[in-house]
Amino acid sequence: MEPLSTTAETLVTEAAAVGGNKGLSVSPPPPLVNPAKMAASAQQAYASSLYPGRSLSPGDIQLIIEQESYKIQHQGHEGKHALMFLIFVCVLATLPSTVTYWRQRHPMSYRLVSIGSICLIPVYFAAANHYYRFVWIWLVYALANTYVLYVATRSPLHARTPRRVYRWFAFINKASYAVFVAGGLLFLLGFFNIMPGLTDTDYYIETSMLTVFYGLYFGLMSRDLVTLCTDRMVTTLGYSSRGTRLPTKSLPRDVCCICGDRLGGRGNEAASAGGMLAATSTSGSPARHGGSAAVDAVTAEPTHALGCGHEFHASCIRGWCVIGKKDVCPFCSEKVDLQEFKRNPWDKQELFYVTALEYMRFFVSWQPLTLLFLTAIFWLLGLN
C-alpha cells in the first residue's frame, strides 16, 4: 500500500497533467494531509500545481506550503472567527463607558488597578525581553517614590510633608516633560536626517524613541502616585471631605487646606475678603501649623484663588489640579476650570503634556488589560 503522501502527490500530478493536455486551468483538489507534513518532493509537486508554468525557488515553495497549511488549519472556522470579531468589537465599543462608570463609581479600585498595571506591566515585559536598563531605572524610581509614599501616608503628618511631596512631584513632572521634549527633538532630527551618518543609524532612532517613552511613562506614574498622596494627605489634615469621610476640622481663613500651612502674607481680614470660610481658634487668632519658623518661611509665597472663592498656595493648588488630575476644589468640591491655570506658554504646554500622558495610559495599561480580558473570554468559550 502506497504512503498517503505519495498518493496525494500522484493525484496532484495526474490532475495537473490532464488539465495541461486539455488546455484547461485545473485547481488541485485539497490535499489529503497538511502540506507541511508532506515529503519534500510532494511539497514541490503541490506548489507547482498551484502555480503551473512558474519556476519556483525553494523559498517560494516554503512560503506557499506555509500559506496552504494555515488555510487548512483554519478551514471551517469562519463562524468561530466571526464570533471572535463580534466579541472584539463589542468589548471595544463598551470599554470607554465602562471605564468612565468604574472611575466615577469606584474611584479607589479604579485608581489601584490603573496604577498597578502601569507600574507592573511594562517592567514585566522589559524583564522578560532582557531590557535590563529599563528595569534598573524603574527600580531606582520606585525606591525613591516608595519613601515619598511612606512619609505622605503617616498620621499625623509632619508640618512640612505636604509641601515637600508636592514639590517633589512637581520636579518629577517637569523633569519627565523635559525628557519627553528632548526625545521628541531627537526623533525629529532623525526623521529629517539632519546629520547623515548619525541620525540615520538604528541606535540613534532607538535612543530617541526610548527617551520619548521614558518621559511619558515616568510622568504618567508620577501623576498617579501624587493622586494617591493628595487624597491621603487632605484626609489626614481633616479640612477636606474625600469620598465618604467628612471634615474633622473647621478651616481657618488664612490656612491652605491642601498643606495645612498659613497663606503667606495674609491676615484674617485679607483672607476673609478673599472668600475663605471664617473659622479661627478660641483665642481669636488663626491656628499655626509647623511653628513660627515654618510660617515665616512661607510669608511671601504667592496664592491662588479659585472661582469658588477658596484660596490656596499657588504651588499647592497647581499640584492638586494640574499634576494631581483634580478638577474640583479640595475644600468644597466645586468644579474647577483648568483653563485658568494657562497664564504663560509653559502652562499651556504642561496641559498638552498631561493630555499626552492620558493617551500613554491607554497603551501601557488599558490596552494590555483589554487584550488579557479578551483572551480570557475566548478561552472560556473555547474560541482558540
Side-chain angles (χ1 to χ4, degrees):
M1 182 175 181
E2 295 183 0
L4 188 59
S5 60
T6 306
T7 303
E9 177 183 356
T10 303
L11 292 174
V12 169
T13 305
E14 290 179 356
V18 172
N21 293 335
K22 295 184 177 182
L24 300 176
S25 177
V26 179
S27 298
L32 301 179
V33 295
N34 192 322
K37 299 179 180 179
M38 292 181 180
S41 58
Q43 289 181 350
Q44 182 177 2
Y46 181 69
S48 300
S49 66
L50 293 176
Y51 297 92
R54 292 183 56 181
S55 177
L56 300 176
S57 65
D60 295 335
I61 295 175
Q62 183 65 26
L63 180 60
I64 293 171
I65 295 302
E66 291 177 357
Q67 292 176 345
E68 295 301 316
S69 300
Y70 180 83
K71 292 179 182 179
I72 292 174
Q73 291 175 1
H74 293 271
Q75 188 175 6
H77 294 176
E78 290 79 6
K80 181 184 293 186
H81 293 168
L83 179 59
M84 294 174 69
F85 178 75
L86 181 61
I87 294 175
F88 176 76
V89 171
C90 291
V91 169
L92 290 186
T94 58
L95 180 63
S97 58
T98 302
V99 171
T100 301
Y101 176 82
W102 184 14
R103 183 173 63 246
Q104 294 175 349
R105 301 291 295 181
H106 306 282
M108 182 55 67
S109 63
Y110 165 84
R111 191 175 302 126
L112 292 177
V113 171
S114 177
I115 193 172
S117 59
I118 290 171
C119 292
L120 299 179
I121 290 178
V123 72
Y124 166 78
F125 283 106
N129 292 278
H130 310 291
Y131 296 144
Y132 296 119
R133 177 177 54 188
F134 173 79
V135 175
W136 283 111
I137 295 175
W138 184 91
L139 286 175
V140 173
Y141 179 87
L143 288 175
N145 284 279
T146 299
Y147 173 75
V148 174
L149 286 173
Y150 173 79
V151 298
T153 54
R154 297 306 91 196
S155 182
L157 282 175
H158 188 274
R160 308 306 300 164
T161 294
R163 301 171 65 77
R164 289 172 179 170
V165 169
Y166 287 126
R167 286 174 180 173
W168 164 256
F169 283 111
F171 166 75
I172 293 295
N173 184 68
K174 292 183 178 180
S176 300
Y177 179 73
V179 172
F180 166 71
V181 171
L185 292 176
L186 291 175
F187 182 79
L188 288 178
L189 293 177
F191 182 81
F192 293 104
N193 196 17
I194 302 300
M195 301 173 62
L198 174 63
T199 56
D200 56 353
T201 60
D202 293 338
Y203 178 78
Y204 180 89
I205 298 298
E206 179 184 357
T207 301
S208 64
M209 296 182 68
L210 282 176
T211 305
V212 172
F213 173 78
Y214 287 156
L216 290 173
Y217 175 71
F218 290 108
L220 178 61
M221 282 187 64
S222 299
R223 293 193 70 221
D224 280 5
L225 291 175
V226 75
T227 301
L228 295 178
C229 292
T230 52
D231 283 347
R232 177 64 184 222
M233 288 189 300
V234 297
T235 302
T236 303
L237 289 173
Y239 291 121
S240 177
S241 61
R242 306 302 302 163
T244 59
R245 302 188 62 174
L246 296 176
T248 58
K249 298 179 183 177
S250 59
L251 181 65
R253 299 175 181 178
D254 58 350
V255 171
C256 173
C257 78
I258 298 178
C259 68
D261 281 339
R262 291 183 61 183
L263 298 173
R266 294 281 184 173
N268 290 343
E269 186 175 340
S272 178
M276 296 298 292
L277 297 181
T280 58
S281 62
T282 55
S283 62
S285 60
R288 298 172 72 86
H289 300 263
S292 58
V295 174
D296 294 338
V298 296
T299 299
E301 182 170 355
T303 61
H304 181 94
L306 298 178
C308 58
H310 296 130
E311 193 171 9
F312 312 89
H313 294 120
S315 59
C316 292
I317 194 60
R318 286 186 62 83
W320 174 273
C321 292
V322 179
I323 302 176
K325 306 183 301 181
K326 307 289 189 180
D327 60 349
V328 295
C329 172
F331 183 76
C332 67
S333 297
E334 184 174 331
K335 276 287 186 179
V336 174
D337 183 11
L338 296 180
Q339 300 297 323
E340 64 182 273
F341 292 97
K342 293 183 177 181
R343 297 185 176 180
N344 55 64
W346 157 248
D347 293 335
K348 296 180 180 180
Q349 296 300 322
E350 187 176 21
L351 292 177
F352 167 77
Y353 176 62
V354 168
T355 303
L357 294 181
E358 291 304 316
Y359 285 104
M360 186 67 177
R361 181 190 305 278
F362 171 78
F363 287 108
V364 302
S365 175
W366 295 116
Q367 186 181 36
L369 290 178
T370 302
L371 294 178
L372 181 63
F373 178 69
L374 285 170
T375 302
I377 293 179
F378 294 155
W379 180 77
L380 291 173
L381 298 179
L383 301 174
N384 298 325

